[in-house]
Amino acid sequence: MAPTLRTVVRRLPLKLGVLTGQDALDRPVRWVAVSELEDPTPFLEGGELVLTTGMRLDAGTAGPYVDRLVGKGVTGLGFGVGLGHEVIPAGLVEAAARAGLPLIEVPRDTPFVAIGKLVSDLIAAEQYDEIRRAFVTQGRLTRAALLPEGPRAVVDGLARELGGWAALLDEAGAVRHAAGEGAGRTADLLPELERLRRPAGGGAPASLALSTPGEHVIVHPLGARRVRGFFAVGLDRPFTPVAHTVVNAAGSLLTLAIEHGREHLAAERRVRSAVLRLLLAGQVRAAQETLELLGDGLPGGPVVVLAAGGDQEAVLEAAGHEFAVAAGDRAVVVVAADRAEDTVSALREHGPVGIGSPVGLDDLRAGLDQADRALASARRAAEPVMRFADLAGQGLLSLLDPGMTAAFSSALLAPLREYGSRADLLESLRAYLACNGHWDAAAQRLGVHRHTLRYRMRRVAELLGRDLDDPAARAELWVALAVTE
């Protein structure tokens, strides 16, 4: 922030006098320019206090001279008397008064360089004060980041410090927390976020600045290795360099908080994965003792085992604080029965989910077997969610030993698997049994002619050595197919 013209003229040692433009003395003085040119404007940027002795000014040039200065946006005009002019020319005073331009009388014993040094010192002092305030602000934001509600406290503090609004957004652009008047307009930023998610050239994402006549907004992506969210700040005025520094510091604090939270969650997830492996191995006591060392415990009531397909990293992240582990082509999640539905809603976004029936911790293997069977059925039927309890015939199958049932199925269906076109025979048998032996319905389900299906069923009967009209044979084959993925 630059000093005002009022601050400059009030310095007694300079003995400056104000002749015109008293109502405009609060304009900032961004620099001092000394010039005796008839038109110094090509060398000005606006906001300067122009100093002159009026060597080239007379009654005819005073008006155009003032008009050019006003058009350039200078803050004021200082006129040194006692050299070219003993007093300021009346024409210049009239022109300045008419234009509302502050006209300052500079006595002969006040050198222009003294005014320049004063303004330079004031600007330096203002800059130092801004930097000091920035450091103080950064300190307050850092202390806020250490609070339990760290990211929210940083957003609240920044909106308050800058006098604007701030918002924390997730990866999709949804608002996680916002503070300050105007934060509700973050929906307008959604089209711009894609530019930060996928920066041109594939480099690291940078910040984004948006400006309208009434608002200035900065958006920062958050995350060390990839974008994990966004941070937006809005003001009704342009951001100063110091404000930019504060915003950058807040962005760094938020990124650190997000990454630290993720590291903490990843460590907790590794512990819970190890505990789940113990539970699945039947070592319930060892799992309980491990969690007790960490001040945690196992669920007290029945649990539900979930088998989730899709991207395993995304599934494990969606599982949050639940017991989860990646195994084979699916992730296994164990959750208290009363939280199962909420967890399924989060997991189904990443792939099919199989849901077992509620079981005790001592019976997790059975729950896992149920979840795996439900997942296999969901994959076959292209369904997002499948419950073991909803699978046809599973009431009987749940009473059977999973290992013995699988062995029975493998042995019974082996001739079909070893046959050259086993897929056609297995699926044809499945459709035939599902349609209760109705040829036309089964053929339509398979998309083949009924004579083709009759041929296949004769071949199945020959290979298996079973009469497909025998209800007992059909029951055995249905059980064998039900446990086959």
Side-chain angles (χ1 to χ4, degrees):
M1 180 181 295
T4 65
L5 188 55
R6 188 183 306 277
T7 300
V8 176
V9 300
R10 281 181 174 178
R11 294 301 173 105
L12 294 178
L14 298 180
K15 295 179 278 189
L16 304 178
V18 181
L19 276 67
T20 65
Q22 287 84 352
D23 294 337
L25 292 180
D26 290 323
R27 295 175 180 174
V29 179
R30 305 192 184 282
W31 201 243
V32 172
V34 179
S35 176
E36 299 297 338
L37 297 175
E38 291 183 14
D39 183 11
T41 56
F43 307 98
L44 302 177
E45 295 181 346
E48 296 91 351
L49 171 59
V50 177
L51 302 180
T52 183
T53 61
M55 293 172 56
R56 298 173 182 266
L57 293 178
D58 55 33
T61 60
Y65 177 77
V66 169
D67 290 341
R68 286 192 290 270
L69 294 183
V70 172
K72 191 65 177 183
V74 302
T75 295
L77 173 63
F79 195 98
V81 296
L83 293 174
H85 299 270
E86 290 300 322
V87 295
I88 300 178
L92 184 61
V93 175
E94 293 173 2
R98 187 169 55 251
L101 177 69
L103 179 59
I104 312 299
E105 182 179 87
V106 182
R108 178 184 175 86
D109 58 351
T110 299
F112 285 176
V113 69
I115 301 174
K117 289 177 64 177
L118 171 65
V119 170
S120 179
D121 290 344
L122 290 174
I123 291 175
E126 290 284 357
Q127 290 176 339
Y128 173 79
D129 190 52
E130 282 197 35
I131 293 173
R132 182 189 61 79
R133 289 198 301 269
F135 275 114
V136 172
T137 300
Q138 290 182 47
R140 284 196 287 261
L141 293 179
T142 301
R143 288 190 292 274
L146 298 175
L147 297 174
E149 66 279 12
R152 292 172 176 264
V154 171
V155 170
D156 292 342
L158 187 67
R160 185 171 55 252
E161 297 284 353
L162 296 184
W165 60 264
L168 184 62
L169 314 175
D170 65 15
E171 296 178 54
V175 177
R176 293 174 54 190
H177 184 66
E181 186 176 353
R185 295 192 292 273
T186 52
D188 299 336
L189 301 176
L190 293 180
E192 305 292 340
L193 298 185
E194 194 63 27
R195 293 163 56 186
L196 296 178
R197 291 192 188 95
R198 296 178 176 84
S207 61
L208 180 68
L210 306 170
S211 294
T212 64
E215 187 173 47
H216 302 267
V217 179
I218 294 177
V219 185
H220 278 288
L222 301 175
R225 291 174 290 277
R226 71 176 181 87
V227 175
R228 303 192 184 279
F230 302 92
F231 165 53
V233 187
L235 299 178
D236 60 1
R237 59 193 182 281
F239 285 81
T240 66
V242 171
H244 275 289
T245 300
V246 172
V247 170
N248 290 338
S252 298
L253 290 171
L254 290 172
T255 292
L256 183 62
I258 289 176
E259 293 295 342
H260 181 267
R262 287 181 55 80
E263 291 297 329
H264 178 77
L265 181 60
E268 181 179 328
R269 187 183 300 148
R270 287 193 292 270
V271 172
R272 288 181 168 261
S273 293
V275 169
L276 180 52
R277 292 183 188 278
L278 290 174
L279 291 173
L280 293 174
Q283 301 181 41
V284 178
R285 183 57 188 166
Q288 179 66 53
E289 291 174 350
T290 300
L291 286 177
E292 287 175 352
L293 292 174
L294 300 175
D296 202 350
L298 294 171
V303 297
V304 172
V305 182
L306 310 174
D311 181 78
Q312 292 188 350
E313 181 180 354
V315 169
L316 294 178
E317 186 167 339
H321 296 279
E322 305 297 349
F323 294 95
V325 64
D329 63 346
R330 84 306 198 211
V332 178
V333 181
V334 173
V335 58
D338 59 356
R339 294 200 302 272
E341 292 304 320
D342 290 340
T343 305
V344 169
S345 297
L347 300 185
R348 65 183 297 171
E349 300 296 325
H350 307 285
V353 181
I355 308 174
S357 299
V359 294
L361 291 176
D362 293 327
D363 205 18
L364 280 186
R365 292 301 307 180
L368 176 58
D369 181 69
Q370 293 175 3
D372 280 339
R373 294 182 190 282
L375 175 61
S377 179
R379 285 170 168 165
R380 284 195 302 269
E383 293 288 340
V385 175
M386 187 68 72
R387 300 174 187 278
F388 177 79
D390 294 338
L391 298 181
Q394 292 302 337
L396 172 63
L397 292 180
S398 64
L399 302 177
L400 303 178
D401 178 83
M404 294 181 64
T405 307
F408 167 78
S409 172
S410 177
L412 179 59
L413 300 177
L416 300 185
R417 291 195 177 93
E418 295 167 359
Y419 190 68
S421 56
R422 61 183 184 277
D424 288 342
L425 295 183
L426 282 170
E427 292 309 311
S428 296
L429 176 60
R430 194 187 302 275
Y432 175 74
L433 295 176
C435 294
N436 295 317
H438 295 292
W439 297 105
D440 289 339
Q444 184 177 6
R445 181 170 180 171
L446 291 168
V448 301
H449 195 276
R450 65 178 180 276
H451 294 318
T452 301
L453 180 60
R454 286 180 181 274
Y455 167 77
R456 291 179 182 176
M457 290 302 95
R458 285 196 301 270
R459 192 70 182 127
V460 167
E462 293 171 1
L463 291 170
L464 298 180
R466 276 174 169 69
D467 180 5
L468 298 185
D469 291 329
D470 181 0
R474 287 191 187 187
E476 286 185 343
L477 291 171
W478 180 250
V479 170
L481 289 170
V483 299
T484 301
E485 296 188 10

